[in-house]
Amino acid sequence: ASADEKAAKVIDTVVENSSMDEVAQEAESGDPDAQFALGVQYFKGEGGVLQDKAIAAEWFARAAAMGHRLAQRNLGEMMYAGDGIEQDKKGAFRWMQLAGEPALMEAQFNVAYMLHMGDGVEQNKEEAIDWYTLAAEEGMTRAQINLAAMHRTGDGVPKNPEEA
């Protein structure tokens, strides 16, 4: 299952078994799944709350700080894009890296891309190859394509059309 499918399952489980008031209470009491679910509700403007991405980022940050990998990924993506919060590519990289270990292929791909392009972090194509490989091994097509292109053109690795 993709991370988005996992996220939907977490939200459905939390919301199905609770009213939004109960979810908010659980989130306030420190439940990272409830914090994540509430963050998604504010991000999308669903579940009876108005869309407020700044509040969504706060809930994602609370869940992320407790090790919730989907929240780490969402917070990293928001920081990278400056979506509802101030753009902070270094912070985005840090959260993506945490979300990518252990395997969360979307976060692994994002870390690889940022390293490959030197976007928000010092460019390191060798490390990008490692991260693309992790995501590719999880079945992510975009990572497989980027990895093949790097091998085909010799971008950060010796040119190797057979590996591509």
Side-chain angles (χ1 to χ4, degrees):
S2 74
D4 291 328
E5 291 168 335
K6 291 175 189 169
K9 187 177 275 187
V10 167
I11 294 163
D12 289 346
T13 300
V14 171
V15 174
E16 278 178 22
N17 297 323
S18 312
S19 70
M20 280 309 291
D21 288 340
E22 290 170 328
V23 172
Q25 278 183 325
E26 291 170 23
E28 286 289 350
S29 70
D31 180 324
D33 283 337
Q35 292 169 341
F36 173 74
L38 203 54
V40 171
Q41 300 302 314
Y42 276 103
F43 186 85
K44 294 181 175 181
E46 295 177 348
V49 299
L50 295 175
Q51 184 179 43
D52 188 327
K53 291 184 178 181
I55 292 174
E58 290 174 21
W59 284 113
F60 289 147
R62 289 172 74 171
M66 296 179 73
H68 196 286
R69 291 179 32 231
L70 296 171
Q72 291 168 341
R73 183 207 57 181
N74 285 13
L75 183 60
E77 288 178 352
M78 290 178 76
M79 290 175 123
Y80 181 83
D83 188 9
I85 57 175
E86 186 175 330
Q87 188 175 48
D88 175 3
K89 290 187 177 181
K90 286 183 181 181
F93 181 79
R94 182 174 50 86
W95 285 116
M96 290 294 182
Q97 197 169 27
L98 286 171
E101 297 172 351
L104 186 57
M105 69 180 169
E106 292 89 348
Q108 290 171 334
F109 176 84
N110 292 337
V111 169
Y113 178 83
M114 292 175 78
L115 286 165
H116 183 193
M117 297 297 142
D119 192 0
V121 65
E122 187 175 328
Q123 189 175 45
N124 184 332
K125 292 183 180 185
E126 290 173 5
E127 197 173 338
I129 290 282
D130 294 340
W131 283 95
Y132 278 138
T133 300
L134 290 171
E137 288 171 350
E138 292 291 318
M140 178 175 258
T141 305
R142 290 182 301 162
Q144 294 165 349
I145 290 168
N146 286 11
L147 194 56
M150 290 178 82
H151 282 287
R152 188 177 54 255
T153 62
D155 185 13
V157 294
K159 195 172 185 176
N160 186 345
E162 290 164 13
E163 182 73 22

